[in-house]
Amino acid sequence: MAGSAAAALPIGVCLRAIRGEPSWWLESARRLDAAGYVGLWCWDHFMGRGDPEVPVVENWTMLAMAAAQTTRVTVAPFVLNVMNRHPALVARMASTLQIASGGRLILGIGIGGAPAEHAAYGMDFPDVPERVARLEEAVAVIRALWTGGPVTRPSPYYPLKAAYAHPVPDPAPRIIIGGETPAGARLAARIGDGWSTFDDNFEANLPRYLEALEGAGRAREDQTVLVGFQGDWLGEASFRDTPWFHEPRVAWDRWRAAGADGAIVLARTSDDVDALVEAVDRW
């Protein structure tokens, strides 16, 4: 492996949380960090889909442990469900992990989409308009608390009263808004430090994202735009059957030309991780 090429690899890997085991997740994280992938990402789910008895690793616990066992790679949720944790708690967890990891956290967050999990756990799952409003408020609360406080702000969902949050993360983590719809892309442009979505809608929604960014008076060069590749995300397809295995640089050049700053590919199994490590030699 060419160390200089690996160090520059603009590809992150989402290690599957559903049907994932903690030991497998952490071993894979160490291997991908050593191989030169730029980031590790984890789904934010509590239960399996279809089979609720399959193992599921908890997002934040895995990211924190992975950060402790790696040296270079960024760690990030892909993406946090805004309904799963109070944003004041997210702000505190994120600032702690950002400082402890030496500034390697990216905070991905979105409106969520797992009503069965919320029903099973007795957690609220309002309709889309309210979840969008909660996401806007959550981001505002998180950013406010990252100043250290005191913060007092009214809110229909997350009011704060003389709230302090120390130590202050410096720099603050980048907040990447996950949004697969035109409205989600526009929301990311208004409130995020970037936007993440998937390959099947990226090119259609990118112009909407850029228009909203310009309308908000925000600069494209200050944003991070990520495109994800996970296909049938609960299926058993092999990473070896993707262009990212056979011609990773060609695959990346295609999406960079389309407007992405980075890519996120999915690893479901140990063989997928093996393939990812092998693919670096073709970079």
Side-chain angles (χ1 to χ4, degrees):
M1 181 193 309
S4 59
L9 213 65
I11 301 169
V13 181
C14 180
L15 289 164
R16 181 160 70 177
I18 295 174
R19 301 180 200 159
E21 297 277 3
S23 59
W24 171 80
W25 216 99
L26 293 174
E27 178 188 7
S28 300
R30 290 190 293 268
R31 294 184 65 199
L32 294 166
D33 179 50
Y37 287 91
V38 72
L40 297 170
W41 301 75
C42 186
W43 297 333
D44 188 24
H45 286 289
F46 296 148
M47 290 170 38
R49 301 290 183 89
D51 181 358
E53 295 186 17
V54 299
V56 182
V57 297
E58 197 282 318
N59 177 290
W60 206 269
T61 308
M62 283 294 93
L63 294 176
M65 292 194 69
Q69 297 187 30
T70 55
T71 60
R72 180 196 50 78
V73 74
T74 59
V75 294
F78 191 44
V79 297
L80 285 188
N81 180 338
V82 72
M83 299 304 301
N84 284 356
R85 301 163 189 84
H86 193 287
L89 175 61
V90 172
R92 301 300 292 118
M93 294 191 305
S95 62
T96 299
L97 184 49
Q98 175 74 339
I99 295 165
S101 68
R104 291 189 286 133
L105 175 67
I106 297 172
L107 180 59
I109 191 168
I111 67 169
E117 293 181 21
H118 288 74
Y121 280 67
M123 299 165 62
D124 290 341
F125 194 78
D127 59 14
V128 168
E130 180 174 329
R131 298 201 321 272
V132 170
R134 283 180 176 271
L135 180 57
E136 290 204 57
E137 274 299 298
V139 170
V141 164
I142 292 166
R143 291 195 193 281
L145 288 174
W146 283 345
T147 68
V151 181
T152 297
R153 63 186 312 276
S155 165
Y157 307 114
Y158 310 116
L160 300 178
K161 183 177 181 180
Y164 289 85
H166 292 280
V168 173
D170 183 21
R174 295 185 68 77
I175 298 178
I176 307 295
I177 305 298
E180 300 177 50
T181 65
R186 295 186 186 102
L187 178 64
R190 292 199 308 273
I191 69 171
D193 299 312
W195 168 53
S196 68
T197 191
F198 294 102
D199 57 317
D200 60 357
N201 63 73
F202 177 81
E203 289 169 297
N205 287 334
L206 180 61
R208 296 167 174 129
Y209 172 78
L210 295 175
E211 290 167 6
L213 204 62
E214 183 178 3
R218 310 183 75 201
R220 170 65 181 89
E221 58 265 27
D222 296 333
Q223 302 292 300
T224 301
V225 174
L226 303 171
V227 56
F229 300 84
Q230 60 182 26
D232 179 8
W233 60 294
L234 292 178
E236 298 301 332
S238 171
F239 182 79
R240 296 179 188 274
D241 295 330
T242 72
W244 296 99
F245 174 70
H246 294 286
E247 296 184 298
R249 187 178 290 276
V250 172
W252 165 238
D253 286 346
R254 179 258 188 269
W255 289 98
R256 179 177 60 181
D261 298 320
I264 304 170
V265 300
L266 176 63
R268 299 173 172 87
T269 64
S270 293
D271 185 67
D272 283 353
V273 176
D274 291 342
L276 281 156
V277 174
E278 293 171 29
V280 173
D281 288 330
R282 288 188 287 280
W283 181 256

